[in-house]
Amino acid sequence: MSELTKIINDRLEKSVPPSARIPYIPLSFVKGKGALLYDCDGKEYIDFLASASSANIGHGNEEIAAAVNTQMLELAQYTSVYFPTQNMIKLAELLLEKAGRANYMASFTCTGSASIDGAIKYARGFTGRPRIISFSESYHGSSYGAISVSALTNNMTRKIGPLLPGCEKFTYPDCLRCRFNQKCETCNLDCLEQIKYAFEHYLPADEVAAFLIEPIAGDAGLIVPPKKYIKALRELCDEHEILLISDEINQGVGRTGKLFAMDHFDIDCDLYVLGKSLGGGLPLGAVVGRKDVMESLGSPAHAFTMSGNATCCAASLKMFEIMDRDDIFNQSTEKGEYLRKKFLELKDKYEVIGDVRGAGLNLGVDLVTDRESMNKNYEATAKISYYCMKNGLVLTFLGKSSMRVQPPIVITYEQLDKAIEIFTEALDKYVNNELPDSILDEMQGW
Ligand SMILES: Cc1ncc(COP(=O)(O)O)c(C=O)c1O
């Protein structure tokens, strides 16, 4: 650790509580351009994290900065709850147009978590039913509502209960490590059967307002569910008049090559929740959903002083303009395919890579102890991630074994190649036992 990083870290420890951070290794970035980052010592990094998928458009975008500057000088914000700004209305209209669904509406907040809370409120309000079903290892945010529907780590829930009542969890469909010991080819969707069993025996379906699910389970390790599961879930919802909510906060806004990652599964959801990259670098969250559902709550059941504020919406509008002009969604698809091939080539060479999955520039590269058991290889994951970060590639991990590959979509092909070079070096070092165990004491993360 450099002297400056040490000082920053000491100051952090003294001024910001542990509850507000998930450190991997001590690093503090001061500048970014596109997919490049610079730390407090001026060292350059390729960003494979995109600020936790909140910088799909990349860093240091001058056009967005100019739009924000103009708006700040004209009218930084005036609460849209009382007097709506043009920008908020424009952004709502744009999202509805991009969503391509008739009779949808959009409401805004300043974070993904607050929009998850909104989705819960709308679902309960519309159906008059109390229960929300979400999934194992899901992360939906840190407000009380969002924590209540999350199931990632006890550290989030310990000591703060009671949480929101009526929040039920079932197993997320993970075909690599099926909890029901099924094989993909012969799978009967036992993971869905457990829900049907619950509906028959102890969880009345007519008390369930909504399922809340991520189209790709981000923080669980970028797990892609089988299409037949999502389709069957939609059918189950229809059968019991339960709403389906897609959490697109991590996966939306072009990350998988589409506005909504759920569109890969050819189904419609009743509500979509957006956040992170939606704000083009500023805090913004949204619920986009069926008009009848969203109109079920009266004024002001989901209103925040700063939500849909003029400056955040200006950044978002400019970002979408750039995304359209530069075909960023398509770039995500093409660069994602390019990168997937590179990782699959590495998989052919290195036994430790058990799986490469994802959609668009959004890949989970799973490291395993062996390909027979497909057990998670935390040691390899932590050591390789550490080596990459020390050598100019911000590559974190999730679910103890999944490399989180979510670069800004504007990353160049040269930068992708360079990143693969660093990752390959790390693999070689790991295979040759050159990465010491002491790394495991230093490395933290989820
Ligand atoms: C899938 C998902 N939902 C919700 C959230 C919460 O968003 P925010 O941190 O903006 O409140 C996150 C954040 O990591 C997320 O990944």
Side-chain angles (χ1 to χ4, degrees):
M1 200 186 315
S2 78
E3 202 43 45
L4 189 51
T5 311
K6 193 174 171 331
I7 292 167
I8 291 174
N9 206 46
D10 288 346
R11 285 169 51 205
L12 174 79
E13 298 279 340
K14 284 182 191 136
S15 56
V16 181
S19 57
R21 21 188 179 105
I22 312 169
Y24 280 86
I25 59 170
L27 267 181
S28 176
F29 297 117
V30 292
K31 202 172 134 183
K33 193 77 197 156
L36 294 178
L37 288 167
Y38 300 86
D39 73 9
C40 54
D41 297 306
K43 184 173 164 187
E44 186 179 277
Y45 298 78
I46 296 169
D47 185 8
F48 258 26
L49 179 61
S51 181
S53 193
S54 71
N56 289 1
I57 192 77
H59 308 290
N61 187 294
E62 285 164 26
E63 291 173 89
I64 295 178
V68 165
N69 188 47
T70 304
Q71 190 59 54
M72 286 290 286
L73 294 173
E74 272 175 16
L75 183 67
Q77 62 89 15
Y78 200 92
T79 181
S80 276
V81 174
Y82 299 154
F83 305 107
T85 63
Q86 298 281 327
N87 283 355
M88 183 192 73
I89 299 167
K90 266 194 226 161
L91 184 60
E93 289 169 347
L94 183 77
L95 286 175
L96 303 185
E97 185 195 316
K98 287 194 171 298
R101 269 105 174 147
N103 291 324
Y104 271 46
M105 296 184 110
S107 76
F108 296 98
T109 64
C110 297
T111 63
S113 303
S115 284
I116 289 288
D117 285 2
I120 296 170
K121 291 185 209 171
Y122 291 126
R124 284 180 163 179
F126 179 72
T127 59
R129 302 173 179 182
R131 304 204 203 212
I132 305 288
I133 298 180
S134 55
F135 292 86
S136 54
E137 292 183 73
S138 61
Y139 178 66
H140 297 292
S142 204
S143 59
Y144 256 104
I147 286 181
S148 304
V149 289
S150 298
L152 190 56
T153 155
N154 283 334
N155 287 345
M156 285 195 78
T157 53
R158 190 173 283 122
K159 297 188 198 172
I160 65 163
L163 302 176
L164 204 63
C167 298
E168 320 286 345
K169 319 284 185 314
F170 286 94
T171 308
Y172 193 89
D174 177 359
C175 298
L176 185 69
R177 301 189 177 94
C178 177
R179 298 259 165 87
F180 301 89
N181 293 320
Q182 303 230 342
K183 295 267 169 278
C184 291
E185 313 77 53
T186 50
C187 162
N188 297 322
L189 293 182
D190 276 5
C191 45
L192 197 75
E193 288 303 315
Q194 61 164 345
I195 302 175
K196 292 184 183 169
Y197 180 88
F199 282 179
E200 275 169 33
H201 293 93
Y202 60 90
L203 176 56
D206 60 10
E207 287 187 5
V208 179
F211 282 95
L212 168 64
I213 189 165
E214 265 196 285
I216 292 177
D219 288 329
L222 288 156
I223 294 165
V224 185
K227 199 169 187 170
K228 67 176 179 182
Y229 179 93
I230 297 292
K231 282 185 169 288
L233 184 64
R234 176 72 260 184
E235 282 164 19
L236 190 66
C237 287
D238 293 341
E239 188 186 334
H240 296 286
E241 295 181 5
I242 296 170
L243 301 180
L244 185 56
I245 307 170
S246 180
D247 179 346
E248 300 276 345
I249 292 166
N250 188 333
Q251 300 294 313
V253 196
R255 174 55 58 197
T256 70
K258 294 180 186 286
L259 177 68
F260 300 138
M262 198 53 104
D263 282 352
H264 288 281
F265 297 89
D266 301 327
I267 57 137
D268 282 330
C269 293
D270 304 291
L271 299 171
Y272 298 87
V273 189
L274 294 166
K276 292 197 189 244
S277 282
L278 176 67
L282 294 185
L284 191 61
V287 181
V288 177
R290 271 172 48 190
K291 191 170 189 284
D292 54 347
V293 176
M294 297 190 67
E295 283 186 335
S296 66
L297 298 178
S299 164
H302 189 55
F304 302 86
T305 307
M306 296 294 270
S307 66
N309 77 73
T311 304
C312 293
C313 290
S316 182
L317 286 165
K318 182 53 79 177
M319 176 195 71
F320 278 118
E321 190 186 313
I322 299 166
M323 283 186 152
D324 285 345
R325 184 193 66 203
D326 297 347
D327 207 7
I328 300 279
F329 286 14
N330 235 350
Q331 284 194 37
S332 176
T333 307
E334 286 170 12
K335 290 174 187 172
E337 268 322 295
Y338 179 81
L339 200 55
R340 180 198 297 271
K341 278 198 193 111
K342 297 269 174 196
F343 279 118
L344 286 174
E345 281 165 23
L346 290 176
K347 183 172 173 240
D348 285 343
K349 237 177 112 189
Y350 297 91
E351 281 285 307
V352 73
I353 300 181
D355 192 32
V356 178
R357 53 178 179 255
L361 203 42
N362 181 54
L363 302 174
V365 179
D366 211 300
L367 303 189
V368 297
T369 53
D370 62 279
R371 291 203 187 153
E372 184 60 33
S373 72
M374 286 287 184
N375 284 338
K376 297 182 177 206
N377 191 337
Y378 172 72
E379 183 196 337
T381 309
K383 286 180 173 179
I384 288 170
S385 166
Y386 181 92
Y387 178 89
C388 289
M389 288 203 260
K390 288 284 176 189
N391 288 278
L393 173 64
V394 178
L395 181 62
T396 59
F397 55 91
L398 296 159
K400 302 280 178 214
S401 68
S402 180
M403 291 295 174
R404 179 178 190 168
V405 181
Q406 295 188 309
I409 302 167
V410 295
I411 193 167
T412 65
Y413 283 94
E414 292 72 30
Q415 289 161 353
L416 289 177
D417 287 344
K418 178 70 192 159
I420 286 289
E421 200 181 302
I422 298 169
F423 184 63
T424 311
E425 273 167 28
L427 283 166
D428 280 332
K429 298 258 177 213
Y430 174 75
V431 170
N432 295 325
N433 270 328
E434 290 172 43
L435 301 178
D437 286 347
S438 56
I439 289 176
L440 301 175
D441 299 328
E442 257 186 78
M443 190 52 123
Q444 297 175 51
W446 273 99

